[in-house]
Amino acid sequence: MAKKTVNNDVLLANIIKGIEEVKGNDINILDLREIDAAVCDYFIICNGNSNTQVNAIVGSIQKTVSKELKDKPWHVEGTDNAEWVLIDYVHIVVHVFQKHIREYYNIESLWGDAKITTIENKY
């Protein structure tokens, strides 16, 4: 049976909802669709204040997407130390960082050609 295709906009909205429900910070959406050789359509980048919050954000994203869209990630890595967790939904890859790790790697600058949308914190 073929995997059901999930609309990117709906998936993006549910990922953002999952991040916001546990107060993830500094949410950016990088639109990679116009970039040659990009690995996916979008990156969503956010951060938490501790490994506990990073894992809570990851869990909230997965729970929200699973509940609303009946979809689960193709791959998840980094949950052991929860400094940088990557959740791969194929067309959308979510990066959940601890703040100091995010600042160190500065992924946004590596994808400088991407259109970046910043989501304002609701709290």
Side-chain angles (χ1 to χ4, degrees):
M1 185 165 127
K3 184 177 183 208
K4 175 179 70 125
T5 304
V6 175
N7 177 303
N8 277 351
D9 292 338
V10 175
L11 182 55
L12 278 168
N14 278 280
I15 291 168
I16 300 299
K17 179 180 172 187
I19 295 168
E20 290 176 337
E21 282 185 0
V22 289
K23 296 184 171 39
N25 296 311
D26 305 321
I27 305 168
N28 282 334
I29 302 170
L30 279 64
D31 185 340
L32 307 175
R33 292 175 297 177
E34 302 292 318
I35 297 175
D36 291 338
V39 295
C40 60
D41 292 340
Y42 297 95
F43 278 166
I44 298 179
I45 303 171
C46 69
N47 56 264
N49 297 316
S50 65
N51 58 348
T52 303
Q53 188 183 19
V54 166
N55 277 329
I57 293 167
V58 171
S60 181
I61 292 167
Q62 289 180 288
K63 188 172 103 185
T64 302
V65 170
S66 176
K67 182 177 154 198
E68 300 293 329
L69 305 175
K70 309 290 187 258
D71 196 15
K72 61 181 195 249
W74 176 71
H75 183 72
V76 178
E77 64 182 68
T79 54
D80 290 346
N81 65 4
E83 291 184 339
W84 176 0
V85 178
L86 182 142
I87 311 169
D88 187 347
Y89 283 100
V90 182
H91 295 288
I92 300 173
V93 175
V94 185
H95 299 269
V96 185
F97 289 96
Q98 287 188 39
K99 188 173 177 63
H100 67 284
I101 301 293
R102 180 179 182 174
E103 290 168 354
Y104 178 81
Y105 285 102
N106 194 7
I107 286 185
E108 286 93 339
S109 72
L110 296 174
W111 294 90
D113 293 344
K115 179 176 174 271
I116 299 177
T117 303
T118 300
I119 306 297
E120 296 299 322
N121 290 343
K122 292 184 176 182
Y123 45 88

